[in-house]
Amino acid sequence: MIEFSGLLTWEDFQSAISEVEKLSRTLGDNWGINYYQQNTPGGSYLSYIRYIELENNLLKCEYHIIYSLSYSVPVMYFNISYPNGKLLSVTEVCQYLKKSVSEVSQQEHPLLQVPFFCLHPCNTDEIMKSLSIAHHNSPLKYLVSWLSLVTQVLNIPLPNEYGVLLNH
């Protein structure tokens, strides 16, 4: 059960990412679960890959929704790379996202142990707390609400069918 504090338990996160993956299969938008350390809290995550064109380059964008054991909220980790595999710099990522460097940080992916960008989760519980009154009994609605906010920040297309879930 989601607490009114805006937090999410690991078990609820697992349930929600399973439901998002099922819905994603029906919509064909390719979110999928990766089991890095199956049956270990924090050991699986939801991922999505897409390609975008930017300044005549086809860039690979990889997104991972990971459960933060420290903050008890989902966290978006992402990388954007050139066709040769070279990652965009922090400055280039911020220019693409039209965000300041203070909103995006680069750190080690907690499971893969390689550099990834992330949106820091420090205020996620407060943001979700303001939304959780309507969704406190549904881990799926919690995750979809969070995802609808994060996808806007990262310019990730999210089919309207996800929003329909919030009204049921």
Side-chain angles (χ1 to χ4, degrees):
M1 161 109 28
I2 298 168
E3 303 170 42
F4 284 100
S5 62
L7 304 177
L8 188 67
T9 66
W10 166 248
E11 294 77 18
D12 284 343
F13 177 79
Q14 283 295 108
S15 169
I17 65 173
S18 293
E19 291 298 315
V20 167
E21 182 184 50
K22 285 178 196 170
L23 179 58
S24 178
R25 269 190 251 129
T26 65
L27 298 175
D29 70 339
N30 300 317
W31 285 96
I33 297 176
N34 296 77
Y35 296 99
Y36 188 77
Q37 298 168 335
Q38 196 164 359
N39 301 321
T40 301
S44 57
Y45 58 94
L46 201 60
S47 66
Y48 174 72
I49 296 175
R50 73 182 183 123
Y51 294 87
I52 60 168
E53 190 172 328
L54 184 66
E55 298 175 4
N56 296 321
N57 285 301
L58 185 63
L59 303 177
K60 179 182 178 183
C61 303
E62 186 173 355
Y63 306 95
H64 295 180
I65 300 173
I66 297 174
Y67 182 76
S68 170
L69 294 170
S70 301
Y71 288 91
S72 298
V73 296
V75 181
M76 180 65 81
Y77 282 80
F78 63 97
N79 262 337
I80 304 174
S81 58
Y82 290 103
N84 65 4
K86 180 183 178 237
L87 297 177
L88 269 67
S89 69
V90 173
T91 303
E92 290 170 316
V93 167
C94 291
Q95 286 172 345
Y96 164 67
L97 296 175
K98 298 175 179 59
K99 302 293 174 201
S100 73
V101 175
S102 65
E103 295 174 87
V104 176
S105 61
Q106 190 173 35
Q107 61 187 47
E108 188 174 271
H109 189 290
L111 297 172
L112 304 179
Q113 313 296 292
V114 295
F116 262 71
F117 296 101
C118 79
L119 300 177
H120 199 276
C122 62
N123 294 319
T124 301
D125 62 333
E126 289 301 315
I127 294 167
M128 295 310 296
K129 186 177 180 179
S130 68
L131 302 174
S132 68
I133 293 171
H135 307 309
H136 72 276
N137 286 321
S138 172
L140 176 60
K141 287 181 179 181
Y142 176 103
L143 189 62
V144 169
S145 295
W146 175 85
L147 191 57
S148 70
L149 297 171
V150 172
T151 55
Q152 289 178 48
V153 172
L154 296 175
N155 302 324
I156 304 169
L158 188 68
N160 291 336
E161 289 83 353
Y162 285 98
V164 171
L165 289 171
L166 301 178
N167 297 319
H168 287 99

